Amino acid sequence: MNMAYRKNIKKQQKGFTAIEIIAVILIISIVGVVAVSRMTSTKTYNVAAEVEILKANLRYAQFRALSDADKRYGEKATAWGIVLSANSYTLQKTEEGVTTNPSLFGESSSTHNLASGISITTGIGTITYDGWGIPALNGAPLTGDLTITITDGNSPQTITVTKNTGFIP
């Protein structure tokens, strides 16, 4: 009887246990997730981040223009703005005809360089805000809403500056 029992044990030991199969599937899943996450691009997220940073800086320029509105009126009024180029933008302040470049809010310089591979394709120029917070492009009042497009070449995103109020949704 003892020999028959041992023969049955050897017959049952063929194959894998459920725990072994689950462990192998789990390891393959983890390796797959790591591989996919390393292959996907973060450029789309970089574009979205740059859009939000530019929106915040445009709002900051408008806020500063509104804050300085009670200092001077008319031709001597203080204007704040953002100078947009293809790969960067700079905060500027014009007071009594003198233009300076104060630091952007939360940054150590007046210029913000866009992440590598990201550029501004439309809306390039100088956006200024007067004491009422009304935006202008290159010194001329906006005739319609201004659209600024930021792209990495594949996924463009836009910022809209409303013509009379400077509102940025």
Side-chain angles (χ1 to χ4, degrees):
M1 278 183 95
N2 213 1
M3 291 299 259
Y5 177 71
R6 288 186 183 179
K7 285 182 184 179
N8 287 339
I9 290 176
K10 287 183 181 178
K11 287 182 183 178
Q12 292 177 353
Q13 289 182 352
K14 292 181 182 176
F16 299 103
T17 65
I19 294 174
E20 291 170 333
I21 292 173
I22 291 172
V24 169
I25 291 172
L26 183 65
I27 291 169
I28 290 172
S29 300
I30 291 171
V31 170
V33 167
V34 169
V36 168
S37 68
R38 297 213 179 216
M39 290 188 313
T40 57
S41 174
T42 59
K43 280 189 176 182
T44 303
Y45 301 111
N46 289 344
V47 172
E50 291 294 350
V51 165
E52 293 305 315
I53 293 168
L54 179 54
K55 282 182 180 181
N57 286 322
L58 286 167
R59 291 176 182 134
Y60 176 69
Q62 185 182 32
F63 171 76
R64 292 299 303 260
L66 290 166
S67 297
D68 289 345
D70 60 345
K71 292 182 180 177
R72 294 179 183 83
Y73 298 100
E75 291 179 14
K76 294 185 177 184
T78 303
W80 285 79
I82 301 280
V83 181
L84 299 169
S85 65
N87 298 314
S88 66
Y89 54 87
T90 303
L91 180 66
Q92 76 174 15
K93 174 185 178 183
T94 304
E95 187 171 31
E96 293 188 18
V98 178
T99 301
T100 58
N101 298 100
S103 293
L104 288 162
F105 183 75
E107 296 193 27
S108 59
S109 80
S110 61
T111 301
H112 177 83
N113 295 311
L114 299 176
S116 177
I118 298 176
S119 62
I120 299 172
T121 57
T122 62
I124 295 176
T126 304
I127 301 169
T128 55
Y129 295 94
D130 64 11
W132 296 98
I134 299 171
L137 180 62
N138 298 324
L142 298 179
T143 56
D145 293 348
L146 173 65
T147 301
I148 302 167
T149 304
I150 298 179
T151 185
D152 63 353
N154 296 324
S155 54
Q157 293 192 20
T158 60
I159 298 171
T160 303
V161 180
T162 308
K163 78 173 189 174
N164 292 324
T165 61
F167 176 71
I168 302 170

